[in-house]
Amino acid sequence: MKEIKIKLSNVQDIREFVNVVILADYDVDLVQGRYVIDAKSIMGIFSLDLLSPITLKAHTDNADALFERIAKFIV
């Protein structure tokens, strides 16, 4: 499992992020406090506090390609 911090600032960022993450063939979660949300769920992402960084957990050992595609969201 690999983990990074991301920041999603607006609706366009969320749409772009989900369009990239949905292509991953492994589970990707967003964790904020006690909440764990499926990163492929737009509605789930809207339930998070978008003003602070969110931890992304990719359930794979080879998430480098995903991290390259979402580089603009990484803090």
Side-chain angles (χ1 to χ4, degrees):
M1 181 171 60
K2 298 233 178 171
E3 208 175 283
I4 57 167
K5 294 275 190 188
I6 64 166
K7 179 86 168 152
L8 301 171
S9 302
N10 55 46
V11 175
Q12 184 59 32
D13 284 353
I14 293 171
R15 290 175 121 183
E16 187 177 336
F17 174 80
V18 170
N19 285 337
V20 171
V21 172
I22 206 162
L23 298 175
D25 60 348
Y26 45 84
D27 289 335
V28 181
D29 294 326
L30 296 177
V31 180
Q32 192 173 54
R34 63 184 175 148
Y35 298 104
V36 178
I37 304 296
D38 182 358
K40 298 176 183 180
S41 166
I42 289 178
M43 293 305 292
I45 294 172
F46 279 116
S47 70
L48 297 173
D49 174 14
L50 300 177
L51 297 176
S52 55
I54 304 165
T55 302
L56 179 143
K57 291 187 178 186
H59 297 272
T60 183
D61 289 329
N62 190 14
D64 297 335
L66 173 65
F67 292 168
E68 285 177 21
R69 292 192 304 264
I70 62 167
K72 73 183 246 179
F73 306 115
I74 298 174
V75 226

